[in-house]
């Protein structure tokens, strides 16, 4: 299958990327054959537009709502840039999905593709400087040096300024692929030097199809997960394959029925925070222990968790513990945010019933609860409740104490 097969519901974007990959392939092939003329005298590439401009450029910005597949599209493009299929010499398009270049780029082991994601709240100056140094290297495989930054919106201001120089004056065969929810999440000076690709939320049917085709999920379960997440590919996959995720979502959808009094509001808020904390703890148990043991072994500590560290290595262990703490904070916030998204979807269904909209319910499995809330309130109250959930998400982004933010939301849900 071609590398574009996993880019769901983004036909216009894949056409642009495929054209750019063809131009990139033509330029590298000509250079390797010793036929590449000086920069100002290059012939028109095979897929140049009507102005004669190449579809390839050194920096790209992928934007779109969560779940639209920004990082998937960036990875597919990175794989197409590294494609070494012999079919290219016969007119085949790069991005076959089977050759060594495509395969290693897609799974993250290609020597010339650096995929950067963060489990932390931000990406700092130190990490960005390491990336800039990496970007200045020539590709070891003879094609492109590709840097995929999946969380460009998490760059600190200082890190963004460090990245700006590299994007402004890139190495000859380096390509930057930045991903962010919107252009406003990236520094204006950076986004002005990138070619923008805007992805949309994929259709529910397309998400269900890829869950069946790629993950082997039963069609009915795939359809339920795709509809419940409203086209969010990653969440749909998790919901269809993880029993704990389904249990947490079921608990969240019961919250609107539990805010009849102040006591119920406070209890529901505490349970929501506890569930997010438990989720973060489960992730930590899977990752932190392995990281700690690997670092202890690298530092020469005695075998077992009780072994003493060599003198002078306590700082490295403290740095790892601080990193794990920050990651736990982000995991808890992400889990809480997912719960709030599900809650927004519930009230969206309530509003759809109240105004008689002819749209399918995202939460059809709890239609009785949705109908009960819809009958007992008005569209105006439902809109205020949706605004309360959005206000809670914004408060969490501003680092308001999670429990206070969620308690304020549940009280607002009761008041309507």
């Amino acid at each position: 299958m071609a590398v574009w097969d996993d880019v769901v519901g983004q036909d216009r974007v894949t056409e642009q990327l495929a054209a750019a990959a063809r131009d990139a392939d033509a330029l590298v092939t000509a250079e390797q054959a010793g036929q590449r003329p000086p920069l100002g005298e290059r012939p028109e590439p095979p897929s140049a537009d009507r102005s004669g401009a190449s579809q390839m450029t050194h920096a790209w910005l992928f934007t779109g709502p969560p779940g639209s597949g920004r990082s998937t599209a960036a990875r597919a493009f990175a794989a197409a840039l590294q494609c070494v299929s012999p079919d290219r010499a016969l007119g085949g398009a790069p991005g076959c999905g089977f050759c060594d270049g495509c395969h290693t780029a897609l799974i993250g082991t290609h020597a010339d593709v650096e995929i950067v994601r963060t489990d932390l709240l931000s990406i700092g100056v130190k990490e960005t400087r390491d990336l800039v140094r990496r970007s200045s290297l020539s590709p070891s495989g003879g094609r492109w040096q590709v840097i995929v930054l999946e969380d460009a919106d998490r760059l600190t201001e200082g890190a963004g300024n460090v990245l700006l120089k590299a994007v402004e004056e890139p190495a000859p065969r380096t390509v930057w692929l930045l991903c962010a929810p919107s252009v406003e999440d990236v520094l204006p000076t950076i986004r002005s030097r990138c070619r923008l690709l805007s992805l949309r939320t994929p259709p529910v049917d397309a998400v269900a199809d890829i869950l069946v085709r790629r993950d082997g999920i039963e069609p009915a379960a795939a359809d339920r997960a795709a509809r419940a997440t409203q086209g969010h590919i990653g969440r749909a996959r998790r919901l269809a394959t993880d029993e704990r995720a389904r249990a947490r979502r079921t608990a969240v959808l019961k919250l609107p029925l539990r805010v009849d009094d102040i006591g119920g509001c406070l209890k529901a808020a505490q349970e929501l925070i506890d569930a997010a904390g438990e989720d973060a703890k489960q992730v930590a148990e899977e990752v932190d222990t392995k990281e700690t043991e690997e670092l202890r072994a690298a530092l020469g500590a005695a075998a077992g968790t009780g072994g003493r560290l060599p003198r002078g290595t306590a700082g490295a262990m403290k740095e790892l513990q601080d990193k794990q703490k920050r990651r736990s904070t982000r995991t808890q916030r992400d889990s809480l945010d997912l719960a709030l998204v599900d809650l927004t979807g519930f009230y969206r269904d309530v509003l759809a019933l109240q105004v008689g909209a002819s749209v399918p319910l995202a939460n059809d499995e709890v239609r009785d609860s949705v109908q009960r809330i819809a009958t007992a309130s008005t569209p105006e109250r439902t809109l205020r409740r949706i605004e309360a959930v959005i206000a809670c998400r914004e408060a969490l982004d501003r680092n308001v104490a999670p429990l206070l933010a969620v308690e304020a939301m549940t009280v607002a849900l009761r008041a309507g």
Side-chain angles (χ1 to χ4, degrees):
M1 67 176 182
V3 296
W4 316 111
D5 288 355
D6 287 346
V7 185
V8 182
Q10 313 290 345
D11 294 342
R12 181 182 59 83
V13 168
T14 54
E15 288 175 5
Q16 290 180 267
L17 294 176
R22 288 194 296 271
D23 285 357
D25 183 64
L27 292 172
V28 173
T29 301
E31 183 179 272
Q32 291 177 336
Q35 300 171 352
R36 191 179 187 185
L39 183 62
E41 303 175 12
R42 290 181 192 166
E44 179 179 311
S47 57
D49 59 22
R50 293 181 180 178
S51 66
S54 172
Q55 300 298 299
M56 183 58 188
T57 189
H58 72 282
W60 299 75
L61 176 58
F62 296 77
T63 66
S68 57
R70 299 184 303 261
S71 59
T72 301
R75 286 179 177 230
F77 186 38
L81 292 176
Q82 305 294 1
C83 183
V84 292
S85 169
D87 292 342
R88 294 175 298 114
L90 304 175
C96 65
F98 294 102
C99 71
D100 183 68
C102 287
H103 177 68
T104 54
L106 288 174
I107 66 175
T109 59
H110 196 289
D112 294 327
V113 177
E114 180 76 5
I115 298 175
V116 183
R117 70 178 69 85
T118 181
D119 294 323
L120 308 180
L121 296 175
S122 63
I123 300 175
V125 172
K126 180 179 181 296
E127 298 94 326
T128 308
R129 282 178 177 158
D130 291 340
L131 281 182
V132 171
R133 283 193 289 270
R134 166 71 183 261
S135 72
S136 65
L137 302 175
S138 298
S140 61
R143 302 196 72 76
W144 298 91
Q145 182 77 252
V146 185
I147 312 293
V148 181
L149 186 55
E150 293 189 357
D151 300 291
D153 56 306
R154 296 187 182 270
L155 288 167
T156 64
E157 184 176 355
N161 290 329
V162 171
L163 179 63
L164 174 60
K165 187 68 173 177
V167 173
E168 197 172 34
E169 299 176 4
R173 295 262 290 279
T174 294
V175 181
W176 288 91
L177 307 180
L178 312 181
C179 305
S182 70
V183 293
E184 288 77 15
D185 293 313
V186 180
L187 286 177
T189 48
I190 292 180
R191 68 184 187 232
S192 65
R193 289 164 173 81
C194 298
R195 183 167 296 170
L196 177 63
L197 289 177
S198 298
L199 284 73
R200 65 188 181 103
T201 299
V204 170
D205 291 345
V207 174
D209 177 70
I210 197 171
L211 291 179
V212 173
R213 174 167 49 85
R214 186 178 60 187
D215 300 300
I217 297 169
E218 291 294 325
D223 182 69
R224 285 194 302 272
R227 188 176 62 252
T229 57
Q230 290 296 284
H232 191 300
I233 302 171
R235 290 186 61 211
R237 182 181 299 112
R238 185 180 182 188
L239 197 61
T241 58
D242 188 347
E243 181 62 37
R244 293 182 304 183
R246 291 194 291 272
R248 283 191 294 270
R249 182 172 180 275
T250 299
V252 169
L253 296 181
K254 292 179 180 178
L255 187 146
L257 301 175
R258 301 176 55 206
V259 292
D260 293 333
D261 54 55
I262 294 297
C265 292
L266 300 181
K267 184 178 180 180
Q270 184 64 62
E271 290 177 359
L272 201 58
I273 295 297
D274 291 343
E278 183 63 26
D279 196 25
K281 182 180 178 181
Q282 289 174 351
V283 173
E285 289 176 351
E286 296 172 0
V287 179
D288 290 1
T289 301
K290 180 181 178 181
E291 283 184 345
T292 301
E293 286 304 308
E294 287 177 350
L295 180 59
R296 290 177 64 87
L299 294 175
T305 56
R308 296 183 61 183
L309 287 168
R311 182 175 300 177
T313 61
M317 186 61 67
K318 178 65 165 58
E319 183 178 351
L320 176 62
Q321 291 170 349
D322 290 343
K323 174 185 174 182
Q324 291 173 344
K325 184 177 180 180
R326 294 195 300 271
R327 181 171 60 205
S328 177
T329 299
R330 177 182 170 181
T331 302
Q332 183 174 1
R333 290 187 182 181
D334 287 349
S335 178
L336 186 56
D337 190 66
L338 289 180
L340 297 178
V341 170
D342 287 333
L343 198 55
T344 305
F346 180 93
Y347 285 114
R348 171 260 191 196
D349 287 348
V350 171
L351 186 62
L353 290 184
Q354 289 173 331
V355 301
S358 57
V359 295
L361 298 186
N363 303 286
D364 193 59
E365 69 274 18
V366 291
R367 177 180 285 269
D368 290 344
S369 299
V370 173
Q371 184 68 61
R372 177 178 168 184
I373 298 295
T375 303
S377 64
T378 64
E380 291 79 12
R381 294 182 68 187
T382 301
L383 287 172
R384 286 195 292 270
R385 285 165 171 157
I386 292 175
E387 290 171 352
V389 180
I390 294 173
C392 181
R393 297 182 69 190
E394 292 173 347
L396 293 172
D397 283 340
R398 296 193 302 269
N399 292 322
V400 173
L403 183 58
L404 292 179
V406 177
E407 285 178 346
M409 178 196 72
T410 54
V411 171
L413 294 179
R414 174 178 178 269

